Amino acid sequence: MQGTMDQLRLMGPVILTGILKSLDGYSAAESDVIARETKAFAFQAIGLLAKRMPQLFRDKVDVASRLFVALQSEAQFLRLTIQEATNSLAFAYKGAPQNVLNDLEALLLRSSQVEESEVRFCAMRWATLLFDMQHCPSRFICMVGAADTKLDIREIALEGLFPDEDQRKAVSKSVNLKYPKLSDMLDYIIQQQPAVLDSASLGGSKLLFPSKSYVAMIKFLLRCFEADTKQNNLVEGAHFSATVEKLCLLLEHAMAYEGSVDLHANASKALISIGSHMPQVITSRYVDKVAWMKQFLGHIDFDTRESISRLIGIASCSLPLHSLSDLISELIASIGTTPKLRFEMQHGVLCTLGYVTANCMSRTVSIPEALLQSTLKCLVDVVNLETATLASFAMQALGHVGLCIPLPLLLVDSSSVPILVVLREKLSKLLAGEDVKAVQKIVISLGHLCVKELSSSHLNIALDLISSLSQSKVEDILFAAGEALSFLWGGVPVTADMILKSNYTSLSMSSNFLMGDVSSASSTCVESEANEDGHGTVRDAITRKIFDDLLYSSRKQERCAGTVWLLSLTMYCGQHQAIQKLLPDIQEAFSHLLAEQNELTQELASQGLSVVYELGDASMKKSLVNALVGTLTGSGKRKRAVKLVEDSEVFQEGTIGESPSGGKLSTYKELCNLANEMGQPDMIYKFMDLANYQASLNSKRGAAFGFSKIAKHAGDALQPYLHALVPRLLRYQYDPDKNVQDAMTHIWRSLIPDSKKTIDEHFDLIMDDLLTQSGSRLWRSREASCLALSDVIQGRKFDQVEKHLKRIWTTAYRAMDDIKESVRNSGDRLCRAITNLTLRLCDVSLTQVSEATKTMEIVLPLLLSEGIMSKVESIRKASIGVVTKLTKGAGVALRPHLPDLVCCMLESLSSLEDQGLNYVELHAANVGIQTEKLENLRISIAKGSPMWETLDRCIDVIDSQSVELLVPRVAQLVRVGVGLNTRVGVANFISLLAQKVGVNIKPFTTMLLRLLFQAVKEERSATSKRAFANACATVLKYATPSQAQKLIEDTAALHLGDRNEQIACAVLLKSYFSSAADVLGGYNDVIVPVIFISRFEDEKSVSNLYEEMWEENMSSERVTLQLYLGEIVELISGGIMSSSWSRKQKAAQAVSKLCDILGEVVSSQHHVLLSSLLKEIPGRIWEGKDAVLSALSALCMSCHKSISAADADTPDAILSLILSACSKKTKKYREAAFSCLEQVLKAFNNPDFFNKAFPQLFDMCSLQINTTGQNNLSSDLRGGGDEKEDFSSAHDKIVNCVTACIHIARAPDIIKQQKNLIDFFLISLSPNFSWPVKVSVFSSIKELCSKLHTETAGSQDSSQYASIVSFAHELFCKTSVKVLEIIQTVKIAQVHIAASECLVEMVNLLEAIRQLPGGEVAFSREFFQVYEMEKNEHAKSLLKRCIDVLENLEKEHKVSS
């Protein structure tokens, strides 16, 4: 159905025909899914087509019939679709021809009564949509639907009958509705149900219609009747009377036995309503039906009994006097019967007796005096003897009689007594009872009794009885007493006939607050003129009672009662001359009562002011408006004081808590006691001041109620006060007291027709008032002002709020820091509102750039100075949130404020950090948390903060002009910024800034590099140091070559400084490599040596930095060292020659590493290194000097050829220096010297070194042994384990040096030192030395044996050979025993293996010379003993070999001998 109208005009009929044919083609048996869906689509298409082309359906009813039939016959799954289509089709028949509408009427009437609820629903819907209220058939269908079982159908039906009662409709007044003529509607109903006219069936049990339908029908017919009565020409005709007769007949049928209680009540009330308009018709019709009506006197429904009693009373007006007397006598007799009647019957009889007696009093010829006395006596007896409820009914009956005549004196024991005198005591008890409804009826009946009363004394009795209710707390009783007083006063706007012959309930309901008929009030006044003097006296008494006793009483209940009664008099008797004279006093009283705490008193006082305004003249109206405006604006005059007594309630209970003992604090006495208990009697004045303030609030609230009603009438008279009222009224609407809110909202709506327009016109006045009151000393004013501001500023334009913006923000901050929580909450709300407004005004996509810029100029400085810097956490958080959001939309408007904003955000990174993190960092070491990890955690948290987000956005809007303003401020922060997060933030921001602006940063590179370099040097935090280094590297990319060279050279120079500068150097260089590698590439000759040497710093944390950097950036270590060997050697040389020990040590270690990696390549620079090292070895020993010896040994190992070639004497000089170093006493240095000596001996491999080195080594060993003494040495070594270990360690080095000497020595030189060598071995193998020394000795002996073995093989000199043999024999004889002893005593496998290998070498040497030592033939036996005990397999195999060799030699020796 998406086609155009032109297409539909052509195709619509064809489409409809096709749809209908498709529906005809389906049989009910078809159940496949496609068929069902197609059918559903067909019905949907009908609904859509009806909306687009209603003219296709309007001329025929067949499609409508078809859909209603389908609703009834189709399967359940289709009914919802058909129902929607049917509802859509209804609109197509609007404005259809009359013949079509007639057919539809019949269709809908049939459909409204079928079984399927969907059909009935659509019938109701059609009936209400197609036809108006004057269409009788459709209304009858709605009447039928009112009794439907389905709630939704009943609702639609009732909506069709009574649209004004539906809250969803805009219609609110029945006068806007046009009802059908009563005759037309009745005729149609009778047409549908002819039995209505069958009077013979009256009194039956069957209803003509269902009860709910009947109730709806009666209500609707009554409205038709009332609409017709407004047209007098219709009512006067005979035709209308006949129609009314038919209506009465229908109502009589409704009284059938099976009718519901609601139906009977509505029917009986409808008869009374008819009687109030057409009493002659009702009187003539029902005068003969009294017997029929009497059967309903015992009806279970109260309203039905009441209405039937009234109806009998109306009908009795036409009864003959004797019949009337008989009726009254019968009623009196039934009351006194035994057993007593049912309660319902008693009530009905009493009511009927009252109405009948009262109505007959208005007749020209009334009932006999004796019968009247009997009636009154009966009613008085009921009051005296029966329950409160029945007594109230009897009093009501007496009151009805009193409306018509002054009650005659009652004959009691042959004396005449006024009825009120007889009943006074009983009535006092009844009025003090708890049956509220009974008390109400009794007190109102007292008012009715006094309407015609002539005696002042009787009136005073009634007044006293009514006044006794002044202490009552029940509102309904107070209002009933007020109504009674109005009847005593006179001038009420109701007549006796209205009360007796209509559905009258109470004066307030009938008079409608002075909107009743004025002529009625006048007639009442005329009737009572005969007793004007008596009533005048009572009026004076009432006036004194109310004004002197009640309104200014110290008891709130009495003040409340006085207010209710004064309002009742003013409302009901306002036209009376006496009330008119009292209006000024009444106005003053009501004005005073506006300040009452009691809500009822206050509301009624304000309502009273409205009534006074309506009744008063022009001057009074002006005076009242001025007084109310003064009260609302706080400039009203002081009210009349109320005297306080002990139990006077000053505060409502619970308002100011409890006393220390847990008691209540509300009355004047309790407050005085509390002040005395606290020892501060003057505290009572503060309590009273607080009470006065509470009263002023109450007064404003009460004034608002009165003002709202007066405003409707005052009109232009209020315009001059608007400028003063509007700001305050607006504020009071947000008062914390809900009652004040409601009151002020009510007056606002009454006074202000267009709220938005009024606020716009008085915007500046409102803002000034609210901003001023937000600083009030009264918390409720502060709270209300903030709440009002938060609503008023929403959606405002810049020009409206420009001059108020700063004050609003200040107000919000002050409220957020208020001492009272509710004010703080309102401050939070105001902050959210002004935040949204500010964000909108600063968003360049929503606001003009010029206005956004101005807004930023106003708001941002305040946010940065007072908001973010505030000590109140909620203010800080809110301000940061605002600033963060501002940066999102401010765009270019942000640029002028970038310096302040960026600096504030950077400082806030630290100042707004959680202080707990600082505490944790201070104690991190104590709990094992690494400081650097904690710093990284703090930084990561800061990077997730709104401040960091804001900084990122600031970067996005920076341009070249902004840089000029921003960089100096950021540079200042580099100097003075404190806090880890701030300093890291500054560094990172500079990095981002440099990347963002690129070459535009060049004018500032000199300053920035200087500051950043200095910051890296001075920073103690590793995280901050890295951040500043990264910033420095980023800026370096844009520096000039001269700036870059200076920075890199300064950076390289840092490695010579203390630990912090060395770390700074490493961090800077690493950042350069990472961020400015292209710049750094030209300065490798400066950087590489520094990194290489710094790898050998003593402190691991420092050296690791350089080591890591070396490994990351040097692709090939050997190639790099070769490339920059000269620079490295130069730096090393300088380090060795420096005065710093650590530098010397570092340089020496660098030499060792350099030689290890490059080897002979270092030869080209050996002279520089060697000269530096040789110069350093002599002289005092300092910590770490051993590194110099290690460097020397490494250099000699790598460059021994070059050294020897350059100068043949140099090796000897080196040896001499090392040997002198070996004699030093410092243990570590001496050991390093021995290690160096060993390496130098091996490196140069000079045989001449043996004669120079070994004698000194032997002398050192001997001197050491001789100095300490052999015995003392043993005891000392046993006593001190550490000393023994140190001694053995040094001796182990000596043994290694001796081994090296043996390795390079010539055989003759060794033979010359034969004795010393053997002595050295024997000393070294003594138990005084540890097993590692012995293992070294075994190696040395092996080296010696190997050397001698080699010499024997190629020796041509017999004497030398003989010397070797002799040496071998002596060596074997003296050392083998020691070695075997060691195997037996030392239980270490390594020692056993090394000893066995040593023995094998010695035995091999003996085997080579083929001689055993002379006279020794038992060697193999000793070896065998050791062999037997040995457990180590390898050692055992070696020993076995020794045994075999020795046995062979022994055999040879025996053979040769």
Side-chain angles (χ1 to χ4, degrees):
M1 297 297 172
Q2 303 299 321
T4 62
M5 285 306 299
D6 293 336
Q7 292 173 328
L8 283 178
R9 286 192 190 95
L10 295 173
M11 298 299 297
V14 179
I15 294 172
L16 180 60
T17 304
I19 293 171
L20 296 177
K21 284 184 178 180
S22 68
L23 290 174
D24 291 336
Y26 290 109
S27 65
E30 290 189 72
S31 59
D32 60 275
V33 176
I34 297 177
R36 290 162 58 184
E37 290 183 353
T38 306
K39 203 168 196 178
F41 290 147
F43 285 115
Q44 288 177 356
I46 291 174
L48 294 172
L49 197 59
K51 291 179 181 178
R52 298 291 301 276
M53 296 193 69
Q55 64 273 16
L56 288 177
F57 306 89
R58 191 170 292 157
D59 296 331
K60 291 182 181 180
V61 78
D62 56 340
V63 178
S65 302
R66 184 168 193 147
L67 288 183
F68 275 98
V69 171
L71 264 180
Q72 198 170 350
S73 60
E74 289 291 349
Q76 188 65 42
F77 76 91
L78 274 174
R79 288 187 184 177
L80 180 60
T81 304
I82 300 172
Q83 186 175 334
E84 291 175 354
T86 306
N87 290 335
S88 299
L89 185 61
F91 295 96
Y93 285 97
K94 278 197 171 184
Q98 188 60 45
N99 62 321
V100 175
L101 291 177
N102 293 338
D103 293 340
L104 284 176
E105 289 174 12
L107 174 64
L108 297 180
L109 185 59
R110 289 195 307 273
S111 300
S112 66
Q113 300 172 18
V114 301
E115 182 179 352
E116 287 76 12
S117 61
E118 294 87 355
V119 182
R120 300 198 304 274
F121 180 87
C122 288
M124 293 302 147
R125 175 69 72 185
W126 280 52
T128 55
L129 286 176
L130 289 181
F131 305 103
D132 58 18
M133 288 287 293
Q134 293 179 305
H135 186 257
C136 296
S138 63
R139 295 318 100 181
F140 180 78
I141 292 172
C142 291
M143 293 174 189
V144 173
D148 200 279
T149 56
K150 293 285 187 179
L151 176 62
D152 53 348
I153 297 175
R154 293 201 302 272
E155 288 179 346
I156 293 176
L158 292 174
E159 181 185 344
L161 293 171
F162 315 110
D164 54 323
E165 293 180 3
D166 190 347
Q167 297 299 320
R168 294 169 295 179
K169 296 291 184 181
V171 182
S172 60
K173 295 183 180 180
S174 58
V175 294
N176 296 330
L177 301 175
K178 293 183 179 181
Y179 292 94
K181 291 181 180 179
L182 178 63
S183 57
D184 295 342
M185 191 70 243
L186 261 177
D187 289 344
Y188 188 84
I189 292 172
I190 293 169
Q191 179 186 341
Q192 300 301 319
Q193 182 55 274
V196 170
L197 299 178
D198 185 8
S199 59
S201 62
L202 278 177
S205 60
K206 297 294 183 182
L207 279 176
L208 301 178
F209 304 98
S211 286
K212 290 183 178 178
S213 291
Y214 226 142
V215 171
M217 186 182 296
I218 290 170
K219 289 181 178 180
F220 188 77
L221 288 172
L222 204 55
R223 292 198 178 193
C224 295
F225 171 77
E226 290 172 352
D228 285 353
T229 56
K230 291 177 182 178
Q231 302 177 14
N232 294 327
N233 58 333
L234 290 176
V235 177
E236 293 172 357
H239 176 70
F240 189 74
S241 298
T243 302
V244 173
E245 291 281 354
K246 294 178 185 177
L247 176 59
C248 291
L249 194 55
L250 182 140
L251 295 173
E252 291 164 13
H253 279 293
M255 298 301 290
Y257 178 76
E258 70 175 17
S260 65
V261 170
D262 189 30
L263 174 59
H264 288 176
N266 277 281
S268 57
K269 283 184 178 180
L271 287 170
I272 301 299
S273 297
I274 295 171
S276 64
H277 291 89
M278 303 181 70
Q280 298 83 7
V281 175
I282 295 298
T283 303
S284 60
R285 179 175 179 82
Y286 289 100
V287 68
D288 298 326
K289 294 191 177 188
V290 172
W292 174 77
M293 290 186 288
K294 281 165 61 178
Q295 66 177 322
F296 296 106
L297 290 180
H299 198 280
I300 61 172
D301 180 60
F302 180 91
D303 291 336
T304 303
R305 296 196 299 271
E306 189 83 25
S307 299
I308 291 296
S309 299
R310 271 200 176 100
L311 192 59
I312 294 174
I314 295 171
S316 68
C317 294
S318 298
L319 280 174
L321 189 58
H322 66 89
S323 299
L324 181 61
S325 298
D326 293 342
L327 176 61
I328 293 174
S329 299
E330 182 185 348
L331 292 172
I332 293 172
S334 64
I335 292 173
T337 58
T338 304
K340 291 183 178 180
L341 300 173
R342 287 186 303 111
F343 171 80
E344 290 83 3
M345 182 59 77
Q346 286 180 297
H347 171 229
V349 170
L350 287 171
C351 286
T352 305
L353 184 58
Y355 284 118
V356 170
T357 306
N359 278 295
C360 76
M361 291 297 104
S362 61
R363 293 169 57 145
T364 306
V365 180
S366 184
I367 59 174
E369 182 68 26
L371 186 57
L372 177 60
Q373 280 288 329
S374 299
T375 304
L376 296 177
K377 179 71 168 61
C378 175
L379 294 174
V380 168
D381 289 344
V382 172
V383 174
N384 279 321
L385 300 175
E386 296 293 345
T387 62
T389 305
L390 287 175
S392 68
F393 297 149
M395 280 299 297
Q396 186 180 29
L398 287 171
H400 289 160
V401 176
L403 285 170
C404 300
I405 60 168
L407 289 183
L409 299 178
L410 190 65
L411 296 175
V412 180
D413 298 333
S414 70
S415 61
S416 300
V417 183
I419 289 177
L420 285 178
V421 174
V422 175
L423 295 176
R424 183 171 189 171
E425 184 178 352
K426 179 63 176 179
L427 290 177
S428 297
K429 293 179 180 179
L430 291 173
L431 291 174
E434 295 182 356
D435 190 336
V436 175
K437 290 187 177 180
V439 173
Q440 283 181 268
K441 286 183 180 297
I442 291 170
V443 74
I444 290 176
S445 67
L446 286 172
H448 292 171
L449 282 172
C450 298
V451 170
K452 298 288 185 178
E453 186 56 60
L454 303 175
S455 171
S456 298
S457 60
H458 296 174
L459 292 172
N460 288 331
I461 293 172
L463 178 59
D464 290 342
L465 288 171
I466 296 170
S467 301
S468 67
L469 297 172
S470 62
Q471 294 288 338
S472 176
K473 296 182 179 179
V474 182
E475 296 177 12
D476 291 339
I477 292 177
L478 293 178
F479 280 108
E483 185 171 337
L485 288 174
S486 300
F487 278 101
L488 261 71
W489 189 282
V492 291
V494 292
T495 63
D497 282 348
M498 288 176 64
I499 296 173
L500 298 174
K501 297 180 180 180
S502 69
N503 287 313
Y504 172 86
T505 52
S506 69
L507 193 59
S508 60
M509 295 294 291
S510 299
S511 64
N512 196 21
F513 301 114
L514 290 173
M515 297 304 289
D517 189 0
V518 178
S519 62
S520 300
S522 302
S523 64
T524 305
C525 295
V526 171
E527 289 175 8
S528 60
E529 279 181 1
N531 188 33
E532 190 61 32
D533 293 338
H535 278 271
T537 305
V538 172
R539 291 185 197 113
D540 293 339
I542 293 173
T543 304
R544 288 194 301 273
K545 180 68 177 176
I546 292 176
F547 283 94
D548 297 342
D549 298 342
L550 299 180
L551 292 181
Y552 300 101
S553 170
S554 60
R555 294 177 175 83
K556 66 176 183 180
Q557 292 92 342
E558 293 186 350
R559 296 196 297 274
C560 182
T563 308
V564 173
W565 296 350
L566 183 59
L567 178 62
S568 299
L569 290 173
T570 310
M571 286 195 301
Y572 305 142
C573 310
Q575 301 296 336
H576 198 280
Q577 186 177 0
I579 293 292
Q580 291 286 324
K581 292 178 180 178
L582 286 173
L583 280 179
D585 296 329
I586 295 173
Q587 177 190 334
E588 182 184 355
F590 282 142
S591 299
H592 164 75
L593 292 167
L594 289 177
E596 276 294 309
Q597 293 178 354
N598 183 283
E599 291 185 11
L600 177 63
T601 306
Q602 190 184 74
E603 291 177 12
L604 292 177
S606 59
Q607 192 172 359
L609 287 175
S610 174
V611 176
V612 170
Y613 183 87
E614 186 177 348
L615 294 172
D617 54 16
S619 62
M620 178 169 287
K621 289 180 179 180
K622 183 176 180 181
S623 170
L624 185 56
V625 169
N626 290 338
L628 288 174
V629 170
T631 302
L632 287 173
T633 57
S635 59
K637 66 178 181 178
R638 190 178 182 85
K639 304 300 181 185
R640 174 176 167 181
V642 175
K643 182 179 179 180
L644 296 177
V645 294
E646 285 187 355
D647 60 346
S648 297
E649 187 175 282
V650 180
F651 294 101
Q652 288 183 345
E653 188 175 323
T655 303
I656 58 173
E658 298 179 347
S659 65
S661 60
K664 295 181 292 185
L665 283 177
S666 58
T667 65
Y668 181 65
K669 179 181 178 181
E670 289 164 350
L671 292 173
C672 290
N673 290 339
L674 176 63
N676 289 329
E677 287 174 10
M678 295 172 65
Q680 294 178 299
D682 59 330
M683 183 67 74
I684 189 64
Y685 296 109
K686 296 183 179 178
F687 283 137
M688 299 315 295
D689 180 55
L690 187 60
N692 284 332
Y693 171 62
Q694 181 68 34
S696 70
L697 284 178
N698 291 333
S699 181
K700 289 180 173 63
R701 176 176 170 267
F705 276 114
F707 204 98
S708 63
K709 296 191 175 183
I710 293 173
K712 295 177 181 178
H713 307 288
D716 296 336
L718 290 173
Q719 292 303 315
Y721 302 104
L722 281 182
H723 70 281
L725 280 175
V726 167
R728 288 166 176 79
L729 282 178
L730 182 67
R731 170 160 48 88
Y732 289 142
Q733 289 182 76
Y734 297 87
D735 192 89
D737 188 336
K738 184 68 167 60
N739 295 324
V740 175
Q741 280 186 33
D742 294 342
M744 296 302 175
T745 302
H746 192 51
I747 183 176
W748 178 270
R749 290 172 180 169
S750 302
L751 186 62
I752 308 298
D754 188 342
S755 181
K756 184 179 183 303
K757 181 181 178 182
T758 303
I759 293 176
D760 290 343
E761 290 176 353
H762 299 83
F763 184 75
D764 288 336
L765 290 173
I766 291 172
M767 292 301 294
D768 289 339
D769 178 75
L770 294 178
L771 291 171
T772 302
Q773 289 299 318
S774 65
S776 169
R777 68 180 185 89
L778 305 176
W779 67 267
R780 44 175 75 237
S781 294
R782 301 197 299 273
E783 181 177 335
S785 298
C786 290
L787 294 174
L789 277 170
S790 63
D791 282 352
V792 169
I793 62 176
Q794 291 182 12
R796 296 291 162 186
K797 296 180 180 179
F798 175 74
D799 56 351
Q800 291 178 298
V801 296
E802 178 181 8
K803 59 183 177 182
H804 305 293
L805 261 181
K806 187 172 182 179
R807 288 183 67 192
I808 297 173
W809 272 108
T810 305
T811 296
Y813 286 155
R814 185 171 59 235
M816 292 170 74
D817 191 26
D818 200 273
I819 193 172
K820 186 162 179 60
E821 183 180 6
S822 61
V823 180
R824 293 198 297 273
N825 293 337
S826 65
D828 292 339
R829 180 174 165 183
L830 174 58
C831 185
R832 289 193 294 271
I834 187 61
T835 295
N836 293 333
L837 176 65
T838 303
L839 293 177
R840 178 171 57 80
L841 294 179
C842 291
D843 192 335
V844 291
S845 64
L846 302 174
T847 310
Q848 295 180 6
V849 176
S850 60
E851 293 183 351
T853 304
K854 290 179 181 178
T855 306
M856 291 289 287
E857 290 174 356
I858 296 170
V859 174
L860 194 58
L862 183 71
L863 291 171
L864 299 180
S865 60
E866 296 183 20
I868 295 178
M869 295 296 111
S870 172
K871 295 180 180 179
V872 182
E873 184 179 0
S874 59
I875 295 177
R876 290 200 305 269
K877 286 183 177 179
S879 301
I880 291 168
V882 176
V883 171
T884 303
K885 292 173 183 176
L886 275 179
T887 56
K888 289 182 181 178
V892 295
L894 200 62
R895 286 174 180 168
H897 309 281
L898 280 175
D900 293 334
L901 178 58
V902 169
C903 291
C904 182
M905 290 296 102
L906 289 172
E907 290 172 347
S908 299
L909 288 172
S910 288
S911 62
L912 300 184
E913 185 187 27
D914 186 355
Q915 296 306 308
L917 291 173
N918 282 329
Y919 177 82
V920 171
E921 185 164 352
L922 288 174
H923 298 83
N926 298 335
V927 294
I929 301 176
Q930 294 183 13
T931 302
E932 188 168 352
K933 285 186 177 179
L934 189 58
E935 287 182 350
N936 291 334
L937 174 63
R938 290 174 63 188
I939 296 303
S940 65
I941 293 173
K943 285 186 176 180
S945 67
M947 291 79 77
W948 206 286
E949 183 183 350
T950 303
L951 290 170
D952 286 341
R953 292 203 176 94
C954 290
I955 288 292
D956 295 337
V957 298
I958 289 175
D959 60 357
S960 57
Q961 294 179 348
S962 306
V963 173
E964 297 177 2
L965 299 172
L966 183 59
V967 171
R969 294 288 299 277
V970 176
Q972 181 66 17
L973 269 185
V974 176
R975 296 188 189 95
V976 301
V978 294
L980 173 69
N981 293 342
T982 294
R983 295 194 66 74
V984 173
V986 170
N988 288 347
F989 185 81
I990 291 174
S991 299
L992 295 172
L993 179 64
Q995 293 170 11
K996 170 71 176 177
V997 302
V999 294
N1000 289 326
I1001 200 73
K1002 280 191 173 183
F1004 308 99
T1005 51
T1006 303
M1007 174 183 64
L1008 288 176
L1009 289 176
R1010 183 179 70 254
L1011 289 173
L1012 293 172
F1013 179 75
Q1014 195 64 28
V1016 177
K1017 277 178 61 178
E1018 296 173 355
E1019 238 356 288
R1020 296 298 172 183
S1021 164
T1023 308
S1024 299
K1025 198 182 287 288
R1026 282 196 299 271
F1028 279 115
N1030 288 334
C1032 191
T1034 306
V1035 176
L1036 176 62
K1037 291 193 294 185
Y1038 305 100
T1040 61
S1042 60
Q1043 292 172 342
Q1045 180 179 356
K1046 184 179 186 307
L1047 178 65
I1048 293 172
E1049 289 175 352
D1050 290 345
T1051 303
L1054 289 176
H1055 86 281
L1056 302 175
D1058 57 14
R1059 176 183 180 277
N1060 189 52
E1061 290 186 350
Q1062 291 167 354
I1063 293 175
C1065 176
V1067 171
L1068 281 167
L1069 290 176
K1070 186 174 183 179
S1071 298
Y1072 297 163
F1073 277 116
S1074 172
S1075 302
D1078 51 341
V1079 177
L1080 197 64
Y1083 301 95
N1084 281 338
D1085 55 339
V1086 177
I1087 300 302
V1088 172
V1090 170
I1091 299 174
F1092 177 73
I1093 291 178
S1094 298
R1095 294 164 64 194
F1096 306 103
E1097 285 290 342
D1098 267 351
E1099 192 170 341
K1100 277 291 181 185
S1101 59
V1102 178
S1103 61
N1104 287 342
L1105 293 173
Y1106 289 98
E1107 188 69 44
E1108 181 183 345
M1109 192 170 12
W1110 180 269
E1111 290 175 358
E1112 289 177 356
N1113 298 289
M1114 307 305 164
S1115 56
S1116 171
E1117 187 174 34
R1118 184 178 180 85
V1119 171
T1120 303
L1121 291 176
Q1122 284 179 323
L1123 282 174
Y1124 303 103
L1125 180 61
E1127 290 81 1
I1128 293 172
V1129 168
E1130 182 182 353
L1131 193 59
I1132 289 174
S1133 176
I1136 294 174
M1137 301 303 294
S1138 72
S1139 59
S1140 169
W1141 294 349
S1142 60
R1143 283 190 62 195
K1144 292 175 184 290
Q1145 181 183 5
K1146 182 169 64 174
Q1149 290 173 341
V1151 172
S1152 299
K1153 185 69 173 179
L1154 194 65
C1155 293
D1156 289 344
I1157 296 171
L1158 295 182
E1160 290 188 8
V1161 176
V1162 184
S1163 299
S1164 60
Q1165 301 288 337
H1166 81 274
H1167 56 284
V1168 178
L1169 296 174
L1170 185 61
S1171 61
S1172 300
L1173 292 172
L1174 292 178
K1175 289 177 183 177
E1176 190 56 39
I1177 290 176
R1180 64 175 295 183
I1181 298 172
W1182 37 267
E1183 181 70 28
K1185 191 174 181 180
D1186 52 285
V1188 179
L1189 293 171
S1190 299
L1192 181 59
S1193 63
L1195 185 63
C1196 291
M1197 291 289 289
S1198 299
C1199 308
H1200 58 89
K1201 294 180 181 178
S1202 301
I1203 294 171
S1204 301
D1207 187 353
D1209 296 332
T1210 302
D1212 291 334
I1214 293 172
L1215 183 62
S1216 299
L1217 281 174
I1218 295 172
L1219 287 172
S1220 64
C1222 290
S1223 61
K1224 301 296 183 181
K1225 294 180 179 180
T1226 305
K1227 172 182 172 293
K1228 188 176 180 181
Y1229 184 74
R1230 189 174 69 250
E1231 290 179 358
F1234 284 129
S1235 298
C1236 179
L1237 177 60
E1238 179 185 1
Q1239 298 299 325
V1240 168
L1241 290 172
K1242 290 179 180 179
F1244 287 105
N1245 200 21
N1246 188 346
D1248 295 335
F1249 282 4
F1250 177 80
N1251 293 325
K1252 294 180 180 178
F1254 178 73
Q1256 291 192 36
L1257 290 171
F1258 182 73
D1259 290 344
M1260 291 177 194
C1261 178
S1262 301
L1263 181 62
Q1264 191 174 21
I1265 298 299
N1266 293 333
T1267 302
T1268 56
Q1270 187 68 32
N1271 295 329
N1272 292 339
L1273 177 63
S1274 298
S1275 61
D1276 290 343
L1277 293 177
R1278 290 189 197 99
D1282 292 340
E1283 293 180 8
K1284 180 177 180 181
E1285 185 178 342
D1286 292 344
F1287 183 81
S1288 298
S1289 176
H1291 195 75
D1292 186 35
K1293 302 287 185 184
I1294 295 174
V1295 173
N1296 291 336
C1297 290
V1298 170
T1299 304
C1301 289
I1302 293 171
H1303 179 74
I1304 62 171
R1306 292 184 286 266
D1309 294 332
I1310 292 175
I1311 293 170
K1312 288 180 183 178
Q1313 297 290 336
Q1314 174 180 341
K1315 181 179 181 303
N1316 290 340
L1317 280 170
I1318 292 174
D1319 289 344
F1320 177 80
F1321 291 149
L1322 292 175
I1323 293 170
S1324 301
L1325 291 174
S1326 67
N1328 300 323
F1329 296 103
S1330 62
W1331 66 266
V1333 174
K1334 294 178 173 61
V1335 172
S1336 298
V1337 174
F1338 296 154
S1339 298
S1340 186
I1341 293 173
K1342 284 167 61 180
E1343 182 66 30
L1344 178 59
C1345 292
S1346 176
K1347 190 81 172 177
L1348 294 176
H1349 194 174
T1350 303
E1351 289 295 331
T1352 57
S1355 176
Q1356 302 295 327
D1357 187 348
S1358 57
S1359 60
Q1360 181 178 333
Y1361 182 79
S1363 298
I1364 292 173
V1365 171
S1366 172
F1367 191 2
H1369 285 170
E1370 184 178 1
L1371 178 66
F1372 181 77
C1373 291
K1374 291 184 176 180
T1375 59
S1376 61
V1377 177
K1378 286 282 187 183
V1379 174
L1380 289 173
E1381 182 183 340
I1382 289 169
I1383 293 175
Q1384 290 176 312
T1385 55
V1386 179
K1387 305 300 182 182
I1388 298 174
Q1390 182 181 350
V1391 175
H1392 288 205
I1393 295 171
S1396 301
E1397 290 174 347
C1398 177
L1399 291 172
V1400 169
E1401 285 296 328
M1402 287 191 288
V1403 170
N1404 287 339
L1405 179 60
L1406 292 178
E1407 185 182 18
I1409 60 176
R1410 310 302 297 177
Q1411 293 183 23
L1412 283 173
E1416 297 290 340
V1417 293
F1419 289 115
S1420 60
R1421 194 180 312 111
E1422 294 177 4
F1423 275 73
F1424 188 77
Q1425 291 175 354
V1426 175
Y1427 169 76
E1428 288 294 329
M1429 295 172 61
E1430 183 60 48
K1431 295 180 181 180
N1432 185 277
E1433 292 298 329
H1434 184 47
K1436 201 167 186 176
S1437 64
L1438 292 173
L1439 290 172
K1440 183 67 172 69
R1441 183 178 175 189
C1442 292
I1443 293 170
D1444 292 341
V1445 173
L1446 289 174
E1447 286 179 348
N1448 290 332
L1449 289 175
E1450 288 175 356
K1451 288 178 182 179
E1452 291 178 2
H1453 180 70
K1454 289 179 180 178
V1455 172
S1456 62
S1457 61

